[in-house]
Amino acid sequence: MADAVRISIRNGRLIDPANGLDRETDLHLADGRVLAIGEAPAGFQPDRILEAGGRIVCPGFVDLSARLREPGLEQKATIASETKAAAASGITTLCCPPDTTPVIDTPAVAQLIGQTAQRHGFARVLPAGAMTQGLEGRQITEMAALKLAGCPVLSQADRPVRSTQVQRRAMEYAATFGLTLFLHPLDPDLSSGGCAHEGRVSTRLGLPGIPEAAETVAIARDLALADQTGARIHFRGLSSARAVAMLAEARRRGVRASGDVGIHQLFLTEDDLDGFDTSCHLVPPLRTRTDRDALRRALAAGELSAVCSDHQPHDADAKLLPFPETTPGISGLETLLPLALRLVAEGVLDLSAVIARLTIGPAEILGVDLGHLTPGAAADVCIFDPNARWTPTPETLLSHGENSPFLYQEMRGRVTATLLEGRAVFERGDRD
C-alpha cells in the first residue's frame, strides 16, 4: 500500500457542508490529514499537485449500506472488487451489513472483514455487527466485544427480530454501550411471499404484494421501544410516505431515531415493474409516485439525513428466473453520485445539501469522525466533474454486480479522483 504524500489540490470548487464551505480554493494534504484550506502553510512543498479546475472537491462519500458478499458469496463479488468500485465512485467509507457467511456476530469475523479491506486499500470498511447470534433473532450478541472489534453499529440486515422482547433487550444493551441499531423495518408476516408494492401495478401484473403496512407496523413497534429504552435507532432504506411522517413525528417528541433512503427509491416507482424488469425487484419494494415524492421532500427537509447506494451485487443467474423467484437488490455504487446530482438538476436539493447527505449526514449516523475536511481530519477526498457525461454498461462497471435498472441510461457527473487518508486510491484517465 502506497504511503500518503503531500498533495495540493488546486483551483477546485471546494464544498464541505459540515463547515459551511462552498468556494473556489485550494486544499492541502499531508501525512494522511487535511493540512490547510486556501493558502498553503509557509514552507509547504507538495510532492504532487492535482489540478481541479472546473471540478468539485468534497469529502469522500460515506455509504451506510453496501454488501461486499465476502465472506461467503464470492461468486457474486469480493471485498477487493467492490471496494475498488467504491473508490471509483468517490466512496471512501462504507458500512457492510452483517449477513455474510459466517455472520458478523463475533469479533473474529468483524476483524477479518476490516483487515481484508485494509489490505486491499481501496476504501475503509466498517462492518455492522449482528444484533442477534446468527441473525436468528433469539439471543443477542456480545455487543461490547463487537464494538471493540470495529463495529460502529449493530444490525439484523434484512432479517427481522420477531420477538418484541428480544428487540427490547437488544435496544437496552445497545443503549448501555452507546451503539446505534440499524433497523430494516419490514414486518415478516405482512411481507411474507411478496415481491412488489401491494397496489394497482402488482394487481395488474399478478405479482404478490407487500403492503405499506409491512413497513409502518415495524416502524411503530421500534419507535415505541426506542422511546421506552432510550436507544439510538436508525431506519435503513425507508420507502413510504407514511414511514417518513412517523419518523418525523417521533423525532419531534425526542425519540433518538434517524432514517435514510436508497438512491434508487428517489427515482423509480412501481410503474418501473412493467415488463417484469427483474432488476427492479427490491426489498423494500418500489412504491408509488406519491411515496417517491414524499421521500424527496423528507430528504430536502433533513428528516432523512443520508442517501446510500444500498449496493447488492448479484451474479447474472440471480435475476434470470420469473420475477417473484429472482433475488432482490440493485448494484448501486457506481450510479450513486450521478443519480444524486440528478436530484440537483431536478430541483430537489442544492449541490451542497446533496453532498451533505452523502458525507457528514451518514458519518454522524455511524458516529465516526469522517465526512468533513476540517484541518486535522482524515484526508478522505472526492474530486468529480459534475458535467461529465457517461453511460454505465456491464463493460464500464468495476463492480462484479451488473444488476442495475440504470444500465444504458446517460449519466451526468463522474468521479475523477478519490483519496483515502491522503493516498490516491482512484484516478480516472482522460480517455476513461
Side-chain angles (χ1 to χ4, degrees):
M1 186 183 298
D3 293 331
V5 298
R6 291 169 296 180
I7 296 175
S8 289
I9 303 171
R10 294 185 175 172
N11 303 314
R13 178 183 170 189
L14 179 65
I15 300 179
D16 181 9
N19 288 300
L21 290 175
D22 184 353
R23 69 176 188 266
E24 187 173 305
T25 190
D26 299 340
L27 177 68
H28 309 284
L29 316 174
D31 301 319
R33 297 279 163 181
V34 176
L35 180 65
I37 294 171
E39 186 175 345
F44 177 75
Q45 292 294 326
D47 300 305
R48 196 171 172 209
I49 295 172
L50 295 178
E51 287 293 343
R55 295 175 184 175
I56 307 297
V57 180
C58 67
F61 304 142
V62 179
D63 192 351
L64 292 180
S65 184
R67 285 172 168 83
L68 308 178
R69 302 306 188 193
E70 182 184 351
L73 289 171
E74 287 84 353
Q75 75 276 14
K76 292 180 181 285
T78 64
I79 290 173
S81 70
E82 303 316 288
T83 54
K84 187 175 183 180
S89 310
I91 298 165
T92 50
T93 301
L94 56 85
C95 185
C96 66
D99 54 349
T100 50
T101 305
V103 167
I104 309 174
D105 59 1
T106 64
V109 180
Q111 290 166 348
L112 171 66
I113 291 171
Q115 290 166 0
T116 302
Q118 191 172 26
R119 186 173 71 251
H120 292 298
F122 295 114
R124 182 184 298 107
V125 175
L126 303 176
M131 283 170 51
T132 64
Q133 294 177 21
L135 296 176
E136 294 175 353
R138 291 195 288 268
Q139 291 183 301
I140 62 174
T141 53
E142 295 289 341
M143 296 182 179
L146 288 170
K147 182 177 181 179
L148 288 172
C151 298
V153 297
L154 299 172
S155 167
Q156 278 291 106
D158 55 3
R159 303 181 197 179
V161 174
R162 286 179 178 268
S163 167
T164 303
Q165 187 68 277
V166 172
Q167 188 85 332
R168 177 184 177 179
R169 292 286 176 256
M171 288 194 189
E172 289 172 340
Y173 275 83
T176 299
F177 297 116
L179 281 160
T180 297
L181 296 182
F182 275 24
L183 305 177
H184 179 74
L186 195 68
D187 182 276
D189 297 312
L190 288 173
S191 61
S192 179
C195 64
H197 171 66
E198 184 177 284
R200 59 177 180 80
V201 174
S202 65
T203 299
R204 176 164 53 80
L205 297 179
L207 295 173
I210 299 175
E212 175 197 77
E215 182 167 272
T216 56
V217 165
I219 287 174
R221 179 187 79 160
D222 291 336
L223 287 174
L225 291 175
D227 196 10
Q228 174 78 30
T229 62
R232 174 77 174 81
I233 64 171
H234 175 76
F235 291 116
R236 268 256 44 262
L238 295 180
S239 70
S240 67
R242 179 62 183 148
V244 293
M246 293 170 68
L247 173 61
E249 189 276 332
R251 286 167 60 87
R252 286 192 292 271
R253 289 190 287 106
V255 179
R256 301 172 66 203
S258 56
D260 71 56
V261 60
I263 188 70
H264 50 265
Q265 293 280 2
L266 300 170
F267 295 95
L268 305 173
T269 69
E270 60 179 350
D271 294 313
D272 291 288
L273 270 58
D274 273 339
F276 298 96
D277 182 356
T278 58
S279 67
C280 291
H281 180 190
L282 303 170
V283 175
L286 298 173
R287 299 198 186 274
T288 67
R289 187 176 297 267
T290 299
D291 290 310
R292 184 202 65 183
D293 292 346
L295 292 170
R296 289 180 165 204
R297 288 193 299 271
L299 192 69
E303 293 162 359
L304 298 177
S305 48
V307 175
C308 70
S309 70
D310 203 6
H311 179 63
Q312 299 182 51
H314 290 300
D315 54 287
D317 290 348
K319 292 289 187 178
L320 291 179
L321 297 168
F323 191 99
E325 298 171 35
T326 56
T327 310
I330 282 177
S331 180
L333 290 175
E334 290 161 90
T335 52
L336 177 62
L337 173 62
L339 289 177
L341 294 177
R342 195 179 289 180
L343 293 172
V344 179
E346 295 180 8
V348 179
L349 297 93
D350 63 29
L351 184 55
S352 182
V354 159
I355 291 175
R357 305 302 188 273
L358 295 171
T359 56
I360 190 61
E364 289 180 343
I365 290 166
L366 285 171
V368 294
D369 186 20
L370 299 168
H372 61 92
L373 295 174
T374 309
D380 295 352
V381 183
C382 170
I383 305 172
F384 67 88
D385 182 345
N387 298 311
R389 296 181 183 273
W390 65 287
T391 302
T393 67
E395 293 73 31
T396 62
L397 295 180
L398 293 180
S399 169
H400 283 187
E402 299 169 2
N403 49 300
S404 170
F406 300 106
L407 289 180
Y408 307 108
Q409 290 187 25
E410 185 180 71
M411 297 284 166
R412 186 169 182 174
R414 205 169 197 195
V415 172
T416 57
T418 303
L419 288 81
L420 174 66
E421 295 182 354
R423 293 180 296 105
V425 291
F426 174 78
E427 291 184 80
R428 191 176 304 280
D430 292 337
R431 291 181 292 178
D432 287 355

